[in-house]
């Protein structure tokens, strides 16, 4: 698995454009806070020349093209406003976008909408009054996000079909479209997106970046048949501020890479609050692999804390809140000690390949199974024990 360093996101964006000269797709996995959204912006900006541009993109800024008019005066006619100055909405009224969006939205939602092309507003509704007029509703955040996603997909389809209004599109860049979706919709969105891209006759060079493991895995399974570049993006140390690991030829097990990284930082002492978030994510995947109901089944209880309350609360506390991802703060010594204890118990209790943690073999291993007082998991699957095969690429949570 080769690694290529980059000094800044602009250099990395240029590299991605070069890769798209010989392959149609780039699948990019990276943790939150590694710069994926800023990378999508850098990629888009490279294609801007005056009023001309070449990239149709979806990222956190795409949502800023939509804003709510909550009708504060009358509290009745709530509507989602569109930014008429953006080329994102080029030829909106002529293209009957409401019909195209409606077909896509029906896959994921049960509400209706209509677009006022003169006022540049979208009204959502589920029911009509006695005069058959829609009764406006304020869509929930998740509903709003899936509507915006379907709006984007409708435009992607127009670009793939070679519609004149979107003839300027030479590249598509999609960054984390599933941040507010549940697991079922994440799978559905990934599968639908992949099919849309790989079955298009025209095809457009496309970059898709995400921190969502399940979404990434579905895309890899669907798009790899079309010879995509697959990468893992991580932060480096100056001057190599960004590292791009090429995982195209070898399956990349993201949670194992996370464990290796966590092992390094717990040994070095460079522990920050977001490392609890990363550890919880691995526990969630491990619990899912073994068929357990919750991630805290991965925690080994202490004799004075049989309900696993302390460890669960500290992980919950440290892995929630935006500060943990976007404003890294170094842990205090007490929390560092708790992190090391939880982490070492976790890797000793579950049969990961010991080659991942060479330094840990020199220290006595914690018991491989929970004490007899530990609560049994609420499902039939048995807890892993020391005799189980190491978790390698073929047996991995």
């Amino acid at each position: 698995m080769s690694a290529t360093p980059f000094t800044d996101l602009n250099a990395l964006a240029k590299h991605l454009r070069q890769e798209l000269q010989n392959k149609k797709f780039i699948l990019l996995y990276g943790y939150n806070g590694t710069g994926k959204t800023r990378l999508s912006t850098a990629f888009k900006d490279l294609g801007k020349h005056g009023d001309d541009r070449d990239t149709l993109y979806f990222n956190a800024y795409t949502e800023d093209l939509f804003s709510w008019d909550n009708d504060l005066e009358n509290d009745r006619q709530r509507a989602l406003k569109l930014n008429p100055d953006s080329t994102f909405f080029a030829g909106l009224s002529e293209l009957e976008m409401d019909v195209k969006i409606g077909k896509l939205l029906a896959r994921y939602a049960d509400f209706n909408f209509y677009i006022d092309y003169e006022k540049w507003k979208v009204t959502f509704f589920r029911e009509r009054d006695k005069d058959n007029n829609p009764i406006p509703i304020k869509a929930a955040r998740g509903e709003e996000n899936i509507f915006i996603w379907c709006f984007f997909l409708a435009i992607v389809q127009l670009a793939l079909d070679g519609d004149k209004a979107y003839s300027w599109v030479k590249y598509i860049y999609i960054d984390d479209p599933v941040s507010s979706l549940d697991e079922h919709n994440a799978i559905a969105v990934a599968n639908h997106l992949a099919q849309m891209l790989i079955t298009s006759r025209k095809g457009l060079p496309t970059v898709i970046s995400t921190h969502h493991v399940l979404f990434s895995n579905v895309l890899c399974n669907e798009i790899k048949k079309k010879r995509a570049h697959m990468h893992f993006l991580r932060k480096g140390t100056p001057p190599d501020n960004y590292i791009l690991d090429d995982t195209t030829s070898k399956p990349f097990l993201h949670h194992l890479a996370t464990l290796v990284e966590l092992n390094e930082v717990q040994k070095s002492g460079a522990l920050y609050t977001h490392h609890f978030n990363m550890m919880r994510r691995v526990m969630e995947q491990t619990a899912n692999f073994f068929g357990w109901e919750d991630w805290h089944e991965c925690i080994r209880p202490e004799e004075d804390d049989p309900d696993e309350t302390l460890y669960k609360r500290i992980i919950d506390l440290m892995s929630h809140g935006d500060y943990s991802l976007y404003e890294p703060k170094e842990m205090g010594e007490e929390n560092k000690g708790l992190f090391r204890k939880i982490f070492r118990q976790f890797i000793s209790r579950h049969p990961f390949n010991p080659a991942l943690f060479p330094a840990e073999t020199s220290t006595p291993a914690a018991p491989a199974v929970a004490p007899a007082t530990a609560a049994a998991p609420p499902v039939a699957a048995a807890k892993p024990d020391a005799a189980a095969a190491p978790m390698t690429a073929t047996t991995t949570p």
Side-chain angles (χ1 to χ4, degrees), residues 113-237:
F113 70 96
Y114 68 87
I115 302 175
D116 187 328
Y117 295 105
E118 293 183 358
K119 296 182 179 180
W120 290 81
K121 290 184 177 182
V122 180
T123 299
F124 299 103
F125 68 96
R126 281 194 171 87
E127 300 175 341
R128 296 178 181 269
D129 61 21
K130 61 182 180 180
D131 297 320
N132 204 36
N133 296 315
I135 302 175
I137 62 172
K138 173 70 178 287
R141 182 64 173 171
E143 294 171 331
E144 177 189 342
N145 287 344
I146 199 64
F147 171 80
I148 294 174
W149 171 245
C150 290
F151 204 124
F152 174 77
L153 282 185
I155 294 175
V156 168
Q157 190 63 67
L158 289 169
L160 292 173
D161 292 343
D163 192 278
K164 185 177 180 180
Y166 293 95
S167 60
W168 54 270
V169 178
K170 303 296 185 293
Y171 299 95
I172 297 172
Y173 200 119
I174 300 171
D175 175 56
D176 263 343
V178 296
S179 56
S180 298
L181 302 181
D182 58 30
E183 298 290 279
H184 171 73
N185 275 338
I187 296 173
V189 166
N191 181 266
H192 182 214
L193 174 61
Q195 296 307 313
M196 177 181 286
L197 293 173
I198 65 180
T199 58
S200 166
R201 289 185 180 180
K202 179 181 179 181
L204 285 168
T206 302
V207 182
I208 305 173
S209 58
T210 185
H211 75 284
H212 196 287
V213 174
L214 182 58
F215 182 75
S216 176
N217 285 343
V218 174
L219 283 174
C220 286
N221 289 332
E222 294 293 333
I223 295 182
K224 67 182 179 181
K225 304 168 187 176
K226 294 294 181 178
R227 299 177 61 80
H229 284 292
M230 299 181 189
H231 295 298
F232 173 52
L233 175 64
R234 55 190 171 90
K235 285 185 175 180
T237 54

Side-chain angles (χ1 to χ4, degrees), residues 8-18 38-50 52-55 57 171 173:
D8 54 44
L9 291 173
N10 196 56
L12 176 52
K14 290 180 180 178
H15 175 78
L16 296 183
R17 282 178 172 260
Q18 291 172 354
R38 288 179 289 122
L39 175 60
S40 68
T41 301
F43 186 100
K44 177 258 299 182
D45 288 344
L46 287 175
K48 291 178 66 175
H49 304 285
D52 296 330
R53 61 205 66 210
D54 67 5
T55 305
Y57 69 96
Y171 299 95
Y173 200 119

Side-chain angles (χ1 to χ4, degrees), residues 253 255-256 259 289-290 347-357 384-397:
L253 303 173
H255 63 291
L256 296 186
L259 281 174
F289 177 80
F290 285 112
I347 63 173
S348 66
R349 187 183 180 204
H350 298 83
F352 295 104
N353 190 333
L356 293 170
F357 320 106
D385 58 36
M391 290 182 184
T392 59
T394 55
T395 58
T396 317

Side-chain angles (χ1 to χ4, degrees), residues 2 6 22 32 64 68 93 116 130 139 150 158 208-209 225 229 235 258 263 295 310 354 383 394-395:
S2 61
F6 297 90
N22 57 68
N32 272 334
D64 295 339
W68 277 99
S93 58
D116 187 328
K130 61 182 180 180
C150 290
L158 289 169
I208 305 173
S209 58
K225 304 168 187 176
H229 284 292
K235 285 185 175 180
T258 301
N263 186 51
W295 62 269
L310 174 62
K383 298 273 188 178
T394 55
T395 58

Side-chain angles (χ1 to χ4, degrees), residues 101-119:
I101 297 168
K103 292 179 180 178
L104 295 166
L105 188 62
R107 290 171 170 262
Y108 309 108
D110 62 355
F111 59 88
N112 294 313
F113 70 96
Y114 68 87
I115 302 175
D116 187 328
Y117 295 105
E118 293 183 358
K119 296 182 179 180

